[in-house]
Amino acid sequence: MEAALVVGVDGSESSLEALDWAVREAARHALPLRLVYASLWERYEPAVPSAGVGARDTFEQVTVENTVASAVQRARRTDPGVRIGADVVADDPAAALLRAGRDAFAVVTGSRGRGELAGLLLGSVGLTVAARATCPVIVVRGDQAGVHGTHQRILLGADDPARAGEAARFAFREALARDCTLDVVRAWRRPTPGTAGRRPPAGEAASDHEQRASALLDDLLRQPAAERLGPRLRRHTVEGPARRVLVNRSAAADLVVIGAQRRHGHHGLQLGTVAHTLLHHAACPVAVVPQRA
């Protein structure tokens, strides 16, 4: 069965922005698009007399059907050539998207869902799916230039190849599909007095750390570069905290890609500080790509 691109929809402005982004992404990769509406609304509705239950159920059903139908129409208007499917699932939204993502090309979510506090930088559904999915997850957030892909640039945050090999391949694929530049950035820092009780070894210079960062880039990019015709590739080694470096550079990117390590038997959140910072503060959509075991 052909893998689909999955997008969560709930009628919120954030989910509609994610839907528009997902349609364009599906078109770029010639993928079918699967819309997923999930809700456990009936658990949270206030108790009503039994005579009103049917009316309440009917109202909710009509609301859901209208929301999904409107989303499908919007997707078809955005690109009539994309194959569209839709599912309505009586389940927790995060659980439904995690399940749908098991065989998906990727899962796309908005930054906040319906009913979540407007002041939140990232809603609970997006955070949970990004932390636990077994497929790439793209959280659509940021300014209009980044969301609409006007920069013609993909940004890859380079980590150790053991944690970021899949992310590198995903970033290469995205840059090729968009025919744009791929910026690969490795941030590095030298130990300073007082950092975890460490002192820089005698004679160790900043150039030593930069050279190690450059060697890591070589290792990370060797396989994906050999597997396909490379996009326009730019390599950068930058001194500073990775989370700050990547957030700053996301202002000139259409998508920032980072890797995530999944641990067997671990069901809690597994995102590090860099991923958390990007998901809350990046100026463009963020792709979290799990490394296969």
Side-chain angles (χ1 to χ4, degrees), residues 29 105 165-177 182 221-231 233:
H29 294 279
F105 172 85
E166 293 295 331
R169 281 184 281 273
F170 184 89
F172 266 75
R173 186 168 52 199
E174 285 296 314
L176 286 168
L182 174 59
L221 298 176
R222 186 174 293 112
Q223 185 173 350
E227 289 176 352
R228 61 191 78 231
L229 294 175
L233 184 65

Side-chain angles (χ1 to χ4, degrees), residues 47-58:
V48 295
S50 58
V53 171
R56 185 197 69 187
D57 290 347
T58 300

Side-chain angles (χ1 to χ4, degrees), residues 42-98:
E42 68 279 2
R43 292 188 179 181
Y44 307 108
E45 288 289 325
V48 295
S50 58
V53 171
R56 185 197 69 187
D57 290 347
T58 300
F59 174 79
E60 178 66 20
Q61 181 179 356
V62 170
T63 300
V64 170
E65 290 175 353
N66 288 342
T67 298
V68 174
S70 177
V72 169
Q73 291 173 4
R74 183 183 181 109
R76 287 176 175 159
R77 286 196 304 269
T78 301
D79 193 320
V82 173
R83 293 163 287 166
I84 307 291
D87 295 317
V88 176
V89 183
D91 200 354
D92 171 77
L97 290 173
L98 288 170

Side-chain angles (χ1 to χ4, degrees), residues 176-203:
L176 286 168
R178 298 163 186 252
D179 189 26
C180 72
T181 299
L182 174 59
D183 275 349
V184 186
V185 177
R186 171 65 179 182
W188 59 272
R189 301 178 74 179
R190 46 188 155 181
T192 57
T195 302
R198 299 170 61 192
R199 290 183 178 274

Side-chain angles (χ1 to χ4, degrees), residues 86-262:
D87 295 317
V88 176
V89 183
D91 200 354
D92 171 77
L97 290 173
L98 288 170
R99 187 167 57 252
R102 290 173 185 166
D103 301 311
F105 172 85
V107 171
V108 180
T109 78
S111 58
R112 286 188 304 275
R114 185 183 64 177
E116 291 185 306
L117 297 176
L120 291 177
L121 294 172
L122 176 64
S124 60
V125 173
L127 183 61
T128 300
V129 176
R132 300 181 182 178
T134 55
C135 71
V137 174
I138 299 100
V139 176
V140 178
R141 57 158 295 110
D143 59 30
Q144 290 302 301
V147 170
H148 289 281
T150 62
H151 299 292
Q152 286 293 289
R153 190 179 306 275
I154 301 296
L155 174 63
L156 170 64
D159 201 348
D160 187 284
R163 293 189 295 270
E166 293 295 331
R169 281 184 281 273
F170 184 89
F172 266 75
R173 186 168 52 199
E174 285 296 314
L176 286 168
R178 298 163 186 252
D179 189 26
C180 72
T181 299
L182 174 59
D183 275 349
V184 186
V185 177
R186 171 65 179 182
W188 59 272
R189 301 178 74 179
R190 46 188 155 181
T192 57
T195 302
R198 299 170 61 192
R199 290 183 178 274
E204 187 174 51
S207 59
D208 297 327
H209 296 278
E210 188 169 13
Q211 287 172 6
R212 284 196 287 271
S214 182
L216 184 144
L217 281 182
D218 290 340
D219 290 343
L220 178 64
L221 298 176
R222 186 174 293 112
Q223 185 173 350
E227 289 176 352
R228 61 191 78 231
L229 294 175
R232 297 185 296 276
L233 184 65
R234 295 181 180 176
R235 299 160 37 109
H236 309 271
T237 55
V238 182
E239 184 174 9
R243 59 184 183 274
R244 185 178 68 197
V245 169
L246 293 175
V247 166
N248 289 342
R249 287 177 175 257
S250 72
D254 301 321
L255 180 69
V256 55
V257 182
I258 53 175
Q261 186 72 42
R262 298 295 186 238

